[in-house]
Every structure is written in C-alpha cells, then in structure tokens.
Amino acid sequence: SFYGFDGSVSATVLIPPVELETPQGKVALEQFQLDVLRPDLSGYPVNGYLTVKGLEVVSPSGGFSVPSLTGSIDVVAMLDEHLPLTNTNLHGKGLSFSQLGVPMLGFDMILQASSEDNGGSLSSKSGLWADNITGPMVPIPMDSAYLGLAIEGLDKAALIRINQLNQELNSWQTSMMIDGLSGDEQDRAIQVQELQSLISQMMQVASEQLLKPGSSNLNMQLLVDNAGKRQLTFDSKTRYLGVDGKNVPFANLTMLDEEQLKGLLDLYLRVDVNQSLVPPPFVAKLQELESAGLVVRSDSSWRGSFRSNGDLLQLNGQTVSVDEVKRRMELLEPEEKEAQESDPLALMPIQ
C-alpha cells in the first residue's frame, strides 16, 4: 500500500500462483492481481483494475477455465455507506465450461455495466457481448450474441431502505444459523417474527415506494448472430404506470381487476427469428398464426410485435382490441384439438 501526502491511497492485492491437483479435482491459478487507487481525500471514485490469468477449476462432475480476465471495476459513489454505484468494464478471453471432462461451452466476452445517481432516482445499464461461441451447450446456431439491460427511475431512498432491511435480514439469518435456533420456543418465535417483519417491510417498500409511475422503465435487448447473419432479435420495453398514477400496496395487488391490470404497464415486445431456426414441425403452427395476423413472415424470418395500451393493442403495427386478439386465438383452438386427436401419441396418458 502507498499513502500520498495529497490523500491518495494505492494498494495491490496479490494471490500467489496455485497448482493443486488431487483425485477429486484440480485448481490452478497463474496470476490474480487487484490494483486499487483512491485519487484524493474525497474518498470517491475508487478505481480498481483486475487481472486474472490461467484460472482453472476441475472436479469429477465439471469445471471451468479463465485463461484471461482483465478490466476495471470503479466505485464512483457510495450511498448510505453500503450501497455502491459502480462502473465496470471486463474483458474475458477463452472462457470455457466442461462437464465430465467434455468441453461444453467456450466464448470470449466483454461486460460493461454502470449505475448512476440522478438526484431522487437511480438508473443502471449493462451490456454483455459474447464472441467466438462454441460447444454443444449452444442451443441454436450462433457464434456471437449481445444481451443488454437498462433500468431507470428507481427511487433512491427506497432502494437504500431495501438495502438496509436486507442487511438486517442477513444479520438475523446468520445469527440464527450460528445459534442453531437454540433457546426455548419463545425465543424461536421471536426470531421468526422478526424475520417475517423484515420481509414484510421489504415488500411494502418495494411495492409502495421503489417504482415511480410513469418514470420507472425496464428495457432489454437480445441479439444473436451466426456467420455474419442475424438469427434472433428480441426487444422489450416496459414502463410502469401504476394504478391511476399511484403505486399499489403489495397486499392489494391480487385485488386488482382486469382493467387495472391492463393499465399497470405499458409494454412493448418485438421478436424476429430467422426461418432457419424454426424446426419443421413448428412451421405449420407459425403459418396458422400468420393467417390469424399474430405473426408476419418475411423472406428470411418470422417476426411479431406487440404493444399494450389499456383495452387497445398494437399487433404488428395494427391497432386491435384485446377482445379481437382473444377471438383470433379462439379460432385456432379447434385446429389444435383436431391435430391432437389425429395424433395417437398426444392421447397417451403421461406416466
């Protein structure tokens, strides 16, 4: 460690190389180094740089290896002394997972994530890029993929309070584990009541304060490519509206009627699937959905989009009512029943 006259602090954490091999497995590590720097007396940001080389863990059932993982992990601020706001940028090369000695999944990756204080609210975003994807665990033909997630409009005070309650909950659970629930029945009852009270308080804060009607958003995107061609696109955007512009207590959520549930979220979904990914047995089903206007076929893909807006929906760019969508789905049900009746396997009882 080094302490500067200007209040700066630098430190390095090192783990010496490890090479341990037994009949039960193997653990190897070439390098682990974490360099930390606090530039001045203000305390933040605290900059960290991580280097991991040659990490390998193998057991009889499976294992993983990390030939190289490098990048920065910076704490830009600390809320209530326990809730950090961070910026993360990690690069991994040659990551792999195995099962029973057989390589199952390999890839390179980049992970970028950040959280931000916007005054009374907090936001976060993250992106995971995977490249050179190989292995039998890969569910569809793909060599690269991206997963992005963005959250906006979380109430800062509520999130701090939830974090405090969670720490209290963890403390109680740890204490109970150490004590082995020792003591008389009255002591155990008090401990259980305290845990239930903490959980109840967390649910109350989460349902009544954490989300801001009209301002809280959750966006997600998944992209999958193979040989330079897009195989799958999934987009979702969700905006929380509440009920009449207000939050609903957790205990009242199950009491909402259908109209209130319809207006709780503004939801948009879009899916685009390359035709090559659709198994032949499902093509006929997609054709039925296409005839009902539920999906659209292009030269190379099947796609569908959906946006909810109370009683009205936007389905593949066309405005329709909820009742109309239900009617279209009901028209498909007789065809499904006929297909099942004509398939003797579908009529066999499941053991």
Side-chain angles (χ1 to χ4, degrees):
S1 300
F2 175 80
Y3 297 86
F5 290 107
D6 57 355
S8 63
V9 177
S10 62
T12 298
V13 178
L14 292 170
I15 296 179
V18 176
E19 186 71 38
L20 177 62
E21 190 165 359
T22 71
Q24 288 73 39
K26 173 185 177 182
V27 176
L29 175 65
E30 293 180 15
Q31 180 186 5
F32 179 96
Q33 181 170 331
L34 177 62
D35 298 301
V36 181
L37 171 66
R38 186 188 71 181
D40 53 50
L41 286 171
S42 64
Y44 296 97
V46 175
N47 306 119
Y49 192 84
L50 176 68
T51 301
V52 178
K53 301 284 188 181
L55 174 62
E56 184 178 12
V57 178
V58 180
S59 71
S61 59
F64 66 91
S65 66
V66 182
S68 174
L69 178 65
T70 59
S72 60
I73 304 173
D74 302 328
V75 179
V76 296
M78 188 71 72
L79 305 179
D80 192 45
E81 300 182 354
H82 295 288
L83 187 61
L85 299 180
T86 61
N87 286 334
T88 301
N89 192 336
L90 295 175
H91 295 243
K93 288 287 187 180
L95 282 67
S96 66
F97 296 86
S98 63
Q99 188 173 15
L100 300 175
V102 179
M104 300 297 293
L105 177 64
F107 59 95
D108 301 332
M109 73 91 178
I110 297 175
L111 172 64
Q112 294 180 343
S114 64
S115 48
E116 186 176 353
D117 184 352
N118 303 302
S121 66
L122 302 175
S123 62
S124 69
K125 58 182 178 180
S126 61
L128 175 64
W129 290 261
D131 201 5
N132 298 319
I133 302 173
T134 60
M137 281 185 65
V138 181
I140 60 176
M142 58 187 290
D143 54 26
S144 63
Y146 166 77
L147 176 63
L149 184 68
I151 303 174
E152 299 176 340
L154 297 181
D155 186 87
K156 181 168 71 172
L159 196 59
I160 289 174
R161 181 56 181 154
I162 289 174
N163 186 63
Q164 292 170 343
L165 290 169
N166 186 58
Q167 290 182 3
E168 292 182 44
L169 183 63
N170 291 336
S171 178
W172 269 95
Q173 291 174 328
T174 302
S175 177
M176 291 173 66
M177 290 177 60
I178 293 175
D179 295 341
L181 287 176
S182 61
D184 56 27
E185 291 292 334
Q186 185 176 1
D187 291 337
R188 286 196 290 271
I190 292 174
Q191 290 175 327
V192 172
Q193 288 177 1
E194 183 63 27
L195 290 177
Q196 291 175 339
S197 174
L198 290 171
I199 294 173
S200 177
Q201 290 179 64
M202 288 178 64
M203 299 303 296
Q204 181 180 5
V205 174
S207 62
E208 298 182 25
Q209 302 175 31
L210 181 62
L211 300 181
K212 297 186 173 186
S215 300
S216 296
N217 301 283
L218 171 63
N219 300 330
M220 185 173 70
Q221 184 180 56
L222 173 65
L223 305 175
V224 175
D225 293 343
N226 189 49
K229 295 183 179 180
R230 182 59 42 85
Q231 303 295 300
L232 172 66
T233 299
F234 174 81
D235 276 317
S236 73
K237 299 179 181 179
T238 305
R239 185 164 64 105
Y240 173 70
L241 302 177
V243 176
D244 298 327
K246 298 179 181 179
N247 287 323
V248 182
F250 181 75
N252 296 345
L253 286 175
T254 57
M255 301 169 59
L256 298 180
D257 58 34
E258 184 177 354
E259 293 302 316
Q260 290 173 320
L261 290 172
K262 288 178 184 177
L264 198 60
L265 300 174
D266 179 3
L267 176 64
Y268 170 77
L269 297 174
R270 181 175 73 91
V271 180
D272 195 320
V273 182
N274 192 292
Q275 290 190 26
S276 64
L277 296 184
V278 181
F282 288 93
V283 173
K285 179 60 180 178
L286 285 173
Q287 291 172 341
E288 294 175 9
L289 295 174
E290 180 187 22
S291 66
L294 301 177
V295 299
V296 177
R297 178 171 54 178
S298 66
D299 292 338
S300 61
S301 67
W302 292 92
R303 66 180 186 273
S305 65
F306 165 90
R307 180 185 290 279
S308 66
N309 185 12
D311 284 329
L312 294 179
L313 305 175
Q314 283 190 345
L315 189 63
N316 301 317
Q318 297 183 346
T319 301
V320 297
S321 66
V322 174
D323 291 337
E324 172 62 17
V325 174
K326 290 180 179 179
R327 187 190 69 82
R328 296 183 187 183
M329 295 297 294
E330 290 171 355
L331 291 176
L332 297 176
E333 290 181 359
E335 298 180 7
E336 293 179 357
K337 292 180 180 179
E338 291 177 4
Q340 291 179 355
E341 291 173 356
S342 63
D343 183 0
L345 293 178
L347 301 177
M348 292 180 63
I350 299 176
Q351 301 295 327

